[in-house]
Amino acid sequence: MSFLPSSPSRILFFCEKATTIGGETPLCSFARVAEQLDPVVRQRFETEGCLYYRNYTGPNETQIDPWKLKRWPEIFNTTKRSDVEEMCAKDDVKVEWGDGGKLRLTNVRPAFARHPTTGQLVWANHSQVFHPSMALGEYKRIVKRTGSPFHYLLIIFLMLVGLFRRLFQRHEDQGMNCFYAKSGRPIPDEDMEKVRDAIWKSMNIFRWQRGDVTFIDNRQVSHGRMPFTEPRRILTAFG
């Protein structure tokens, strides 16, 4: 949740049911990412900051746009626009209402932060999640670990989807996107590749066993999830 002003400082994970195929939880030191990141790209992120876009469909939408996020009442647990506006104002998020009750949220956050205890510079943004190149960029790396034919096919599909979105959707109309804030320009795929390189170099991937407990400093360590075959159940608590 680094795209918002406040986020949990600690996260506890408990493995209730482990899968035998995939499902690892990658842990990444974002202090190390700040060190490993290409200096030119790091300077751009430090200077510019991140502008986030989120687009949600309206409460009465009968046809769900596959490129958008969920209906906003599902996210905010309310159908009142005033409630949404009040919640967003607390996080300094700009609200724009569109035709058919669509909702666009935008906000600006710095790309880096200082750890509140150690003072270390840490990568502290969600660009690698919001950027349109995210899925393709991640699966290109995942397939090197898995060698799965399905993942190779998925890469081809994601390439076609990415081409379609570039041809028929404006950057700011996509479900999620992230721009350089100061200049207002989309973050190039090449810059995000440098970010992913630094993240994967700073990542530790472990396989769950039933009963495992993991406790992380969420201000310094990020987490993810590798593709998996069910059953899998990992419980989390935030604090």
Side-chain angles (χ1 to χ4, degrees):
M1 297 175 65
S2 56
F3 60 94
L4 295 174
S6 59
S7 60
S9 61
R10 300 288 187 272
I11 303 180
L12 181 72
F13 300 87
F14 172 73
C15 178
E16 183 179 281
K17 187 179 294 183
T19 180
T20 57
I21 301 176
E24 303 94 338
T25 293
L27 300 179
C28 178
S29 167
F30 271 9
R32 194 172 301 158
V33 170
E35 296 173 355
Q36 295 278 348
L37 187 58
D38 178 272
V40 175
V41 175
R42 182 172 61 239
Q43 181 61 42
R44 272 200 284 271
F45 272 98
E46 282 186 302
T47 302
E48 294 260 9
C50 297
L51 167 61
Y52 299 105
Y53 281 88
R54 286 177 285 162
N55 289 290
Y56 300 94
T57 50
N60 299 316
E61 287 280 342
T62 56
Q63 181 178 0
I64 298 299
D65 185 338
W67 314 121
K68 294 290 191 297
L69 302 174
K70 295 179 180 180
R71 296 181 178 94
W72 58 262
E74 298 175 53
I75 299 297
F76 290 95
N77 198 31
T78 181
T79 56
K80 294 183 179 179
R81 294 189 179 193
S82 57
D83 290 345
V84 173
E85 291 166 356
E86 182 179 349
M87 284 185 271
C88 288
K90 293 178 181 178
D91 287 326
D92 198 24
V93 174
K94 180 182 177 182
V95 173
E96 298 178 65
W97 299 104
D99 295 338
K102 291 183 174 64
L103 172 64
R104 172 178 291 170
L105 304 180
T106 56
N107 66 303
V108 173
R109 296 290 302 156
F112 295 88
R114 292 285 175 183
H115 190 277
T117 303
T118 67
Q120 276 186 298
L121 185 69
V122 296
W123 175 256
N125 68 81
H126 247 55
S127 60
Q128 70 273 10
V129 177
F130 277 60
H131 198 270
S133 68
M134 181 274 291
L136 178 59
E138 293 295 329
Y139 269 99
K140 283 181 177 179
R141 290 163 173 81
I142 289 170
V143 77
K144 291 180 181 179
R145 284 180 48 84
T146 66
S148 166
F150 172 74
H151 290 156
Y152 279 108
L153 292 174
L154 186 57
I155 286 173
I156 296 172
F157 172 75
L158 290 170
M159 290 174 67
L160 295 174
V161 168
L163 177 61
F164 178 88
R165 293 173 72 182
R166 291 176 191 277
L167 289 175
F168 297 103
Q169 277 194 318
R170 297 189 307 168
H171 289 288
E172 59 270 30
D173 290 337
Q174 297 183 20
M176 298 188 300
N177 210 332
C178 187
F179 287 28
Y180 280 129
K182 188 175 181 180
S183 63
R185 64 187 180 93
I187 300 173
D189 290 358
E190 295 78 12
D191 287 8
M192 292 311 306
E193 274 296 294
K194 298 290 187 182
V195 170
R196 282 186 285 269
D197 284 344
I199 289 174
W200 277 76
K201 288 178 183 176
S202 308
M203 191 182 291
N204 178 41
I205 301 175
F206 69 95
R207 183 174 295 281
W208 288 105
Q209 295 183 17
R210 187 175 183 273
D212 282 351
V213 174
T214 300
F215 188 58
I216 67 171
D217 177 352
N218 196 45
R219 301 288 169 82
Q220 181 168 257
V221 177
S222 75
H223 68 280
R225 185 190 67 196
M226 299 295 286
F228 67 95
T229 301
E230 292 184 322
R232 178 187 187 271
R233 184 172 171 82
I234 308 298
L235 307 180
T236 58
F238 300 86

